[in-house]
């Protein structure tokens, strides 16, 4: 027995030594893994789990992420704090209070005032404290709050001062072992009432981890759409994973099974082409049953069959194209989350449609009848475990369901359940809302805390299969944006610049060869250069933006990575204003407009126009006109060219030569796009005729365009429409004006009558009466000489009349109003040439004199006094006693006297 005991003791010692030896070997292997398997090393001491992988990422648990807690402080009794926080609440119940922070709604939380300390008793099973801390949307704009977390007397966290314009900060801190209390402290200034919020605040339990986690994989220098992702634990065991979203210029987003509880995982990127079957992803094999995911898709037209769920599902699966997919906090959105420039809200007029699909997983503790409700703009359908519970089909707004009127019931057993929510609406709009009520509970919004938690991992290092490749790699993140509000109901000033945004991004080195001897340099296509391991840069446009990242050793470039990043507005940011406007203002002021990408200048023009920044707009226009060749050559900017041309010839600007140059360049560079080329020709002719009085040149362009249009019709390239297009209508009006200018009034009349006939079957009496009222109103508005808005409104009425009845272009009374508007705007040259054309018409003595006196005023406006005197003398000779002649004389005298006074 003693021998056995001795042998047993010796065996334990041997086993302990062997155990220690293995631990030391594992530690040594880990060190070798960190030092040798990264890019640039001569050989790899530890083999990869996936030999065919191009890249390997070490991903570690992100402790800066405020995960949904296991225990909410709002369900606990506070030992110190406001009286209502000391009261014990029933666990799991919602008291009915919403917390609105930075435009978002939260359901679980506590609200406190300044200089408030709330204390909770710490429990042994609590491992970490998590929360989102922010300022209520109703707080004073100047109010600021700092949030602090203490374990007994030791401070664990302190935030920077926050305002209501800032998003809530994420808090995730480990609780010190042996601490008895956790203190939540708020301090600040200008705060009235309980405007500081700790939302989704609570504790993570020790040894408990989410079953599903999320990670972003940045593939600088590679296209993520070329790869499959395969995930392994640190011990070499493969776990299930699924791609959440990937797009060129964006990080690859994956969900994976994290139920093993590892702090470290490895994600391998394997090329899709030639990938062994065992590494190919099989989405149907594993479903990440946690969190809430929103996917947006788009169609090119409206599908009425979407009114019913089976039709909506068919369109979703067979027709709609993906726009975006991301994790979201709740089913409550009042504007499109996935906003992309190529799918601007202006496309809604073309009949495109947005389809939204939410999918999330939640657990129920009690069996019973559960109520689910929906409120939406246009049709919505809510399903639980694949069964439709509530449906609100058809075209409608959300108001009839905002109080839970559209609801359905379903019996649920304890356990895991899947929720799906479908909605469709014309592109550019969105309002979705889902609520639920547990047995004996209250109806409330479904928010982030109702779904199973999702953990988050972050890439900390990268390895390359290509041993000779240096390991320079980086990640990028959108930090903030400044955009014009393009949502339905946005202020009118934002409408001309839909989609315009400036984007602030942060770039950070992941790892380069595992050494500190390197320095880093970042180059951008706007000419700016930054240095450092982590830098921020403001892109003055959205879209794909090239970045060049350089790794330097002793000032020598040893690695260079070129990457195009997708700059876009933050998906879920509610406010269009930036958190720090000075950052964007500085980026604009320090930019060399001569070196900026042409797309950035186009974006800045729209931005300055929408914000009514006249000085900035002038600077941008000047830069654009120096680079007309670059502007007109890109097809995506040609629509903007027409907007810019209208601006250049507008009353406040009157840069007719620049506008003509722009349209000429557009005509010359758009040979492959006949539609754009023909529109440019019409604009050219219009400028030559109206602003320069070059009737012959305008006529030649229009004659050439007329031949092209006839040839296109004969060739069948454009079917003859019963109703002319807007461009065709403008062509007809300008062609008729050129005919009037050369005295072919009858031919012009016939052309206008044909144009009228092609657009409708004659003019109705009601329309004639309407036009008389509009003309009378325009005449009154034209008298507001000092109000540009009223003058613009008056011209809009004239243009509407001409669009509906082109023959009225020959109407003297209408043209007198046109002349008055041009004169009031200061467009004297246009008024002079218009008066010259009107003199070709057969006018009564009254109208002839009225036209001539306006022509004299126009000449006086351009300081052509001698020419004005010639017309006046002819008027005085033929109509010596007319008061109109006296008006002409008065205009000339005023100009002469003003000149003498100078």
């Amino acid at each position: 027995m003693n021998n056995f005991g001795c042998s047993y003791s010796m065996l334990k010692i041997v086993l302990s030594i062997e155990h220690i030896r293995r631990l030391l070997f594992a530690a040594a292997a880990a060190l070798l893994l960190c030092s040798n398997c990264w890019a640039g090393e001569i050989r790899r001491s530890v083999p990869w789990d996936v030999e065919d992988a191009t890249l390997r990422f070490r991903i570690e648990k992100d402790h800066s992420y405020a995960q949904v807690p296991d225990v909410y402080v709002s369900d606990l009794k506070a030992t110190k704090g406001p009286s209502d926080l000391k009261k014990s609440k029933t666990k799991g119940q919602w008291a009915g209070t919403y917390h609105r922070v930075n435009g978002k709604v939260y359901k679980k939380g506590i609200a406190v005032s300044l200089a408030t300390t709330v204390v909770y008793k710490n429990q042994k099973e609590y491992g970490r404290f998590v929360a989102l801390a922010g300022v209520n949307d109703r707080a004073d704009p100047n109010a600021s709050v700092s949030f602090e977390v203490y374990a007994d007397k030791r401070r664990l966290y302190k935030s920077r001062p926050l305002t209501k314009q800032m998003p809530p900060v994420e808090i995730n801190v480990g609780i010190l072992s042996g601490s008895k209390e956790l203190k939540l402290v708020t301090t600040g200034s200008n705060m009235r009432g309980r405007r500081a919020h700790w939302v989704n605040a609570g504790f993570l339990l020790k040894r408990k981890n989410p079953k599903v986690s999320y990670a972003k994989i940045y593939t600088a220098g590679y296209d993520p759409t070329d790869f499959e992702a395969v995930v392994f634990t640190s011990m070499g065991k493969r776990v299930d994973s699924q791609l959440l979203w990937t797009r060129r210029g964006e990080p690859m987003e994956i969900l994976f099974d994290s139920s093993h509880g590892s702090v470290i995982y490895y994600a391998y990127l394997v090329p899709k082409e030639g990938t062994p079957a065992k590494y190919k992803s099989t989405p149907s094999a594993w479903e990440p049953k946690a969190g809430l995911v929103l996917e947006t898709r788009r169609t090119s037209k409206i599908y009425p069959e979407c009114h019913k769920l089976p039709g909506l599902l068919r369109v979703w699966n067979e027709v709609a194209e993906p726009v975006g997919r991301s994790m979201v906090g709740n089913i409550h959105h009042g504007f499109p989350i996935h906003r992309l420039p190529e799918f601007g809200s202006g496309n809604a007029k073309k009949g495109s449609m947005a389809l939204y699909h939410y999918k999330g997983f939640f657990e129920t503790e009690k069996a019973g009848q559960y109520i689910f409700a929906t409120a939406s703009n246009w049709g919505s359908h809510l399903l639980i475990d694949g069964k439709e519970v509530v449906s609100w089909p058809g075209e409608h707004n959300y108001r009839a369901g905002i109080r839970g009127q559209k609801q359905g019931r379903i019996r649920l057993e304890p356990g895991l359940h899947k929720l799906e929510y479908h909605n469709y609406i014309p592109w550019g709009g969105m309002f979705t809302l889902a609520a639920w009520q547990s047995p004996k509970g209250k109806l409330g919004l479904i928010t982030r805390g109702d779904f199973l938690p999702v953990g988050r991992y972050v890439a900390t290092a990268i390895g390359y299969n290509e041993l000779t490749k240096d390991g320079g790699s980086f990640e990028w993140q959108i930090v903030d944006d400044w955009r014009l509000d393009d949502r339905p109901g946005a202020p009118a000033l934002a409408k001309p610049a839909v989609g315009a945004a400036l984007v602030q991004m942060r770039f950070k080195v992941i790892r380069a060869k595992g050494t500190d001897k390197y320095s880093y340099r970042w180059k951008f296509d706007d000419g700016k250069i930054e240095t450092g391991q982590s830098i921020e840069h403001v892109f003055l446009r959205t879209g794909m933006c090239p970045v060049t990242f350089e790794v330097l050793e002793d000032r020598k470039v040893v690695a260079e990575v070129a990457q195009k990043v997708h700059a876009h507005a933050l998906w879920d940011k509610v406010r269009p204003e930036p958190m720090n406007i000075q950052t964007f203002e500085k980026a604009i002021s320090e930019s060399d407009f001569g070196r900026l990408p042409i797309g950035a200048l186009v974006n800045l023009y729209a931005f300055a126009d929408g914000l009514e920044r006249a000085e900035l707009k002038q600077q941008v226009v000047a830069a654009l006109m120096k680079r007309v060749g670059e502007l007109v050559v890109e097809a995506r900017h040609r629509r903007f060219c027409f907007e810019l041309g209208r601006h250049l010839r507008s009353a406040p600007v009157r840069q007719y030569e620049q506008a003509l140059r722009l349209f000429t360049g557009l005509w010359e560079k758009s040979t492959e796009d006949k539609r754009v080329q023909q529109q440019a020709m019409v604009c050219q002719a219009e400028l030559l005729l109206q602003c320069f009085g070059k009737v012959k040149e305008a006529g030649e362009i229009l004659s050439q365009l007329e031949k092209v249009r006839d040839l296109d019709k004969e060739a069948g390239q454009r079917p003859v429409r019963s109703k002319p297009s807007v461009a065709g209508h403008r062509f007809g009006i300008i062609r008729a004006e050129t005919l009037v200018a050369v005295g072919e009034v009858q031919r012009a009349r016939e052309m206008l009558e044909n144009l009228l006939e092609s657009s409708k079957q004659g003019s109705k009496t009601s329309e004639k009466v309407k036009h008389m009222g509009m003309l009378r109103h325009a005449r009154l508005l034209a008298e507001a000489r000092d109000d540009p808005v009223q003058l613009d409104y008056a011209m809009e009425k004239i243009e509407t009349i001409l669009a509906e009845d082109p023959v009225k272009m020959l109407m003297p009374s209408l043209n007198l109003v046109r002349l008055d508007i041009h004169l009031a705007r200061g467009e004297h040259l246009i008024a002079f040439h218009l008066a010259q054309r009107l003199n070709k018409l057969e006018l009564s003595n009254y109208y002839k004199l009225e036209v001539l006196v306006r022509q004299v005023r126009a000449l006086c406006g351009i300081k052509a006094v001698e020419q004005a005197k010639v017309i006046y003398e002819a008027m005085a000779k033929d109509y010596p006693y007319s008061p109109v002649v006296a008006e002409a004389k008065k205009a000339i005298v005023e100009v002469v006297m003003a000149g003498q006074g100078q």
Side-chain angles (χ1 to χ4, degrees):
M1 188 72 178
N2 291 336
N3 290 336
F4 175 78
C6 181
S7 300
Y8 178 72
S9 300
M10 291 296 293
L11 179 62
K12 286 201 300 180
I13 293 172
V14 171
L15 288 175
S16 298
I17 294 173
E18 177 65 19
H19 180 67
I20 293 171
R21 188 183 68 80
R22 289 183 179 180
L23 287 176
L24 291 173
F25 177 79
L31 289 172
L32 286 171
L33 176 68
C34 294
S35 62
N36 294 336
C37 75
W38 305 113
E41 298 300 327
I42 298 175
R43 57 191 178 88
R44 189 179 289 113
S45 62
V46 179
W48 283 20
D49 295 311
V50 183
E51 290 290 343
D52 299 299
T54 303
L55 301 166
R56 175 173 68 170
F57 291 85
R58 174 190 173 103
I59 55 177
E60 301 181 18
K61 184 171 288 187
D62 183 4
H63 287 304
S64 65
Y65 169 63
Q67 181 183 308
V68 172
D70 299 313
V71 179
Y72 285 93
V73 297
S74 56
D75 296 327
L76 301 176
K77 183 179 180 180
T79 60
K80 180 181 179 181
S83 58
D84 58 337
L85 296 181
K86 295 180 183 180
K87 296 178 181 178
S88 177
K89 298 181 181 179
T90 304
K91 187 175 181 179
Q93 293 291 328
W94 169 51
T97 301
Y98 290 112
H99 304 269
R100 301 179 184 273
V101 180
N102 201 238
K104 298 179 184 178
V105 177
Y106 300 90
K107 193 167 60 177
K108 286 279 192 176
I110 59 173
V112 296
S113 58
L114 286 184
T116 298
T117 298
V118 185
V119 180
Y120 294 93
K121 184 178 180 181
N122 188 28
Q123 303 291 339
K124 291 182 179 180
E125 64 269 22
Y126 294 164
R128 303 186 70 85
F129 172 77
V130 293
L132 293 173
V135 181
N136 188 283
D137 286 348
R138 297 179 63 186
D140 188 308
N142 298 316
S144 64
V145 184
S146 291
F147 296 83
E148 301 177 56
V149 181
Y150 289 82
D152 293 337
K153 295 183 179 181
R154 183 171 179 178
R155 188 170 68 191
L156 305 179
Y157 175 86
K158 182 177 181 179
S159 75
R160 68 185 188 279
L162 301 178
T163 66
K164 75 173 187 178
Q165 290 83 8
M166 299 179 181
V169 293
E170 297 191 28
I171 302 173
N172 186 329
V173 292
I175 302 175
L176 299 177
S177 177
S179 59
K180 298 180 180 180
E181 295 180 329
L182 188 88
K183 300 178 183 178
L184 308 181
V185 180
T186 55
T187 57
S189 62
N190 299 328
M191 181 70 74
R192 294 182 180 179
R194 295 188 178 181
R195 301 302 188 203
H197 293 270
W198 301 83
V199 293
N200 288 343
F203 300 97
L204 299 180
L205 301 178
K206 296 178 180 178
R207 294 176 295 278
K208 186 177 180 181
N209 57 279
K211 295 180 179 179
V212 177
S213 287
Y214 161 91
K216 283 185 178 181
I217 305 298
Y218 294 87
T219 58
Y222 295 87
D223 185 348
T225 60
D226 293 337
F227 298 96
E228 298 273 2
V230 186
V231 182
F232 283 75
T233 67
S234 57
M235 302 302 293
K237 181 178 181 180
R238 184 180 178 182
V239 300
D240 291 316
S241 62
Q242 189 179 103
L243 179 68
L244 175 65
W245 179 250
T246 185
R247 175 177 290 188
R248 186 168 173 265
E250 297 179 8
M252 176 186 286
E253 300 177 62
I254 60 172
L255 296 170
F256 62 95
D257 181 358
S258 58
S259 57
H260 295 78
S262 298
V263 177
I264 300 172
Y265 288 85
Y266 290 98
Y268 298 85
L269 298 193
V270 185
K272 290 181 179 178
E273 297 297 329
T275 302
K278 63 178 179 178
Y279 296 132
K280 285 189 177 292
S281 61
T282 53
S284 59
W286 178 75
E287 187 175 25
K289 297 180 179 180
L292 178 66
V293 174
L294 167 63
E295 180 174 357
T296 302
R297 295 190 180 183
R298 177 182 179 272
T299 66
S300 58
K301 65 177 184 179
I302 299 292
Y303 288 85
E305 60 197 278
C306 289
H307 289 326
K308 295 183 179 179
L309 182 59
L312 175 58
L313 295 177
R314 188 197 72 78
V315 173
W316 175 271
N317 292 319
E318 300 177 11
V319 180
E321 60 175 316
V323 174
R325 190 186 303 117
S326 57
M327 305 286 294
V328 293
N330 52 31
I331 306 177
H332 183 204
H333 293 106
F335 63 93
I337 293 298
H338 302 121
R339 303 181 297 275
L340 296 178
E342 57 265 38
F343 301 127
S345 60
N347 289 335
K349 297 178 180 179
K350 300 178 182 178
S352 58
M353 186 168 67
L355 288 80
Y356 304 108
H357 176 224
Y358 296 84
K359 182 172 70 172
F361 293 86
F362 64 95
E363 278 188 332
T364 55
E365 297 180 356
K366 298 180 181 179
Q369 289 287 327
Y370 286 77
I371 297 175
F372 290 87
T374 178
S376 61
N377 281 347
W378 284 50
S380 56
H381 311 270
L382 191 151
L383 297 81
I384 302 296
D385 297 329
K387 181 179 179 181
E388 189 171 0
V389 177
V390 56
S391 178
W392 190 8
E395 301 177 22
H396 54 75
N397 61 36
Y398 65 87
R399 297 190 183 281
I402 196 65
R403 298 185 181 278
Q405 298 95 317
K406 306 297 179 181
Q407 59 179 242
R409 297 173 180 267
I410 185 173
R411 178 174 177 80
L412 297 180
E413 299 298 324
L416 180 67
H417 301 279
K418 178 168 72 172
L419 180 148
E420 293 179 272
Y421 184 99
H422 293 270
N423 173 248
Y424 67 97
I425 190 173
W427 183 262
M430 184 183 192
F431 185 93
T432 56
L433 185 151
W436 74 326
Q437 179 179 334
S438 61
K440 298 182 181 180
K442 295 182 179 180
L443 187 67
L445 295 178
I446 304 177
T447 60
R448 176 185 172 191
D450 295 319
F451 297 97
L452 290 176
V454 175
R456 182 169 294 182
Y457 283 70
V458 60
T460 58
I462 182 172
Y464 296 86
N465 199 357
E466 185 181 347
L467 293 178
T468 58
K469 184 177 179 65
D470 209 314
S473 187
F474 62 90
E475 63 182 42
W476 57 93
Q477 177 187 4
I478 299 173
V479 178
D480 196 9
D481 64 51
W482 187 11
R483 65 181 185 272
L484 297 177
D485 199 340
D486 59 353
R487 289 171 283 166
L493 64 87
K495 292 180 181 178
V498 169
L502 313 180
V503 182
Q504 181 186 8
M505 298 186 73
R506 180 179 295 123
F507 296 86
K508 181 182 178 182
V509 176
I510 294 180
R511 182 169 183 171
K513 215 173 179 179
T515 178
D516 295 331
K517 65 181 179 179
Y518 291 109
S519 59
Y520 308 99
R521 184 164 59 202
W522 314 78
K523 296 181 178 180
F524 302 93
D525 63 348
D526 57 6
K528 294 182 180 178
I529 299 176
E530 304 285 350
T531 59
Q533 293 190 22
S534 178
I535 62 102
E536 292 187 355
H537 182 77
V538 173
F539 292 97
L540 302 181
R541 74 188 193 280
T542 56
M544 302 298 290
C545 302
V547 179
T548 300
F549 170 62
E550 295 176 343
V551 181
L552 295 90
E553 182 179 2
D554 297 328
R555 299 184 180 181
K556 180 182 178 181
V557 176
V558 295
E560 182 177 286
V561 178
Q563 173 68 42
K564 286 188 175 181
V565 300
H566 185 196
H568 58 77
L570 283 167
W571 291 148
D572 57 352
K573 182 184 172 187
V574 177
R575 293 188 177 92
E577 301 84 7
M579 289 183 288
N580 187 353
I581 195 171
Q582 286 76 20
T583 300
F584 294 88
E585 296 283 9
K586 181 181 178 182
I588 295 172
S589 64
E590 293 180 350
S591 294
D592 181 354
F593 287 5
R595 299 185 64 180
L596 281 179
I598 200 70
L601 285 175
V602 172
N603 189 65
L604 275 178
Y605 173 91
F607 212 80
D609 186 45
L611 295 177
E612 298 181 337
R613 301 274 292 273
E615 184 178 351
L616 175 60
K617 190 172 179 179
Q618 290 174 4
Q619 294 174 357
V620 174
V621 170
L624 284 169
M625 294 315 300
K626 291 179 181 178
R627 303 169 61 182
V628 169
E630 293 178 64
L631 180 63
V632 299
V633 78
E634 294 192 34
R636 62 193 178 102
H637 297 320
R638 285 170 185 165
R639 181 180 176 185
F640 166 74
C641 287
F642 290 104
E643 179 183 343
L644 179 59
R646 287 192 294 271
H647 167 74
L648 290 170
R649 67 154 296 172
S650 64
V653 181
R654 295 198 289 275
Q655 295 183 10
Y656 308 132
E657 295 86 357
Q658 299 278 46
L660 184 60
R661 179 183 164 212
L662 176 65
F663 291 127
T664 302
L666 191 60
W667 172 37
E668 294 172 349
K669 299 294 183 179
S670 305
T671 52
E672 78 287 354
D673 192 334
K674 288 188 176 181
R675 182 171 176 272
V676 171
Q677 192 177 48
Q678 292 176 11
Q679 288 179 323
M681 293 174 74
V682 171
C683 292
Q684 273 184 293
E686 190 176 48
L687 278 166
L688 289 168
L689 177 71
Q690 297 180 350
C691 301
F692 297 98
K694 296 183 178 180
V695 180
K696 182 180 179 181
E697 291 87 339
E700 289 174 352
I701 291 175
L702 293 173
S703 296
Q704 182 181 350
L705 179 55
E706 202 166 25
K707 292 177 182 178
V708 173
R709 290 161 61 90
D710 291 340
L711 288 173
D712 287 343
K713 290 180 181 179
E714 291 176 8
Q717 293 183 17
R718 287 191 179 185
V720 180
R721 302 176 182 176
S722 58
K723 186 175 181 179
S725 64
V726 174
H729 194 281
R730 284 188 66 198
F731 168 81
I733 293 289
I734 298 301
R735 187 73 177 109
E737 286 204 80
T738 59
L739 292 173
V740 170
V742 296
E744 297 186 31
V745 179
Q746 184 56 36
R747 185 181 167 192
R749 186 180 299 278
E750 292 172 358
M751 176 174 286
L752 293 171
E753 288 174 350
N754 290 335
L755 189 62
L756 176 63
E757 287 297 322
S758 64
S759 61
K760 59 183 179 179
Q761 298 298 320
S763 179
K764 298 179 181 179
T765 303
S766 60
E767 190 171 78
K768 291 182 179 180
V769 173
K770 181 185 76 172
H771 288 171
M772 290 175 62
M774 293 175 68
L775 183 59
R776 187 180 299 110
H777 191 193
R779 186 182 296 114
L780 293 173
L781 292 172
E783 296 176 359
R785 297 179 177 274
D786 297 327
D787 192 337
V789 175
Q790 297 289 357
L791 295 173
D792 291 343
Y793 191 27
M795 186 59 80
E796 286 179 12
K797 289 187 173 297
I798 297 297
E799 291 172 351
T800 301
I801 294 172
L802 293 176
E804 295 177 353
D805 188 354
V807 180
K808 284 189 169 64
M809 194 203 77
L810 305 175
M811 183 176 175
S813 59
L814 181 142
N815 283 295
L816 288 180
V817 178
R818 285 177 69 189
L819 281 169
D820 287 339
I821 295 172
H822 288 308
L823 290 170
R825 283 173 162 179
E827 298 172 324
H828 300 103
L829 200 59
I830 295 177
F832 170 71
H833 293 305
L834 175 58
Q836 276 191 315
R837 294 195 300 277
L838 294 177
N839 287 329
K840 304 290 184 179
L841 300 176
E842 294 183 3
L843 301 174
S844 66
N845 290 339
Y846 169 78
Y847 283 119
K848 188 174 182 179
L849 281 171
E850 292 293 334
V851 170
L852 288 173
V853 73
R854 287 166 174 78
Q855 192 171 11
V856 169
R857 290 177 186 164
L859 288 168
C860 291
I862 59 177
K863 302 298 188 292
V865 179
E866 296 304 320
Q867 195 174 347
K869 288 180 179 180
V870 172
I871 296 176
Y872 163 71
E873 290 170 359
M875 293 172 64
K877 180 179 178 181
D878 296 335
Y879 309 97
Y881 303 110
S882 172
V884 176
V885 177
E887 290 181 24
K889 181 179 180 180
K890 181 181 178 182
I892 294 172
V893 170
E894 288 177 353
V895 173
V896 173
M897 295 298 293
Q900 291 177 352
Q902 293 177 352

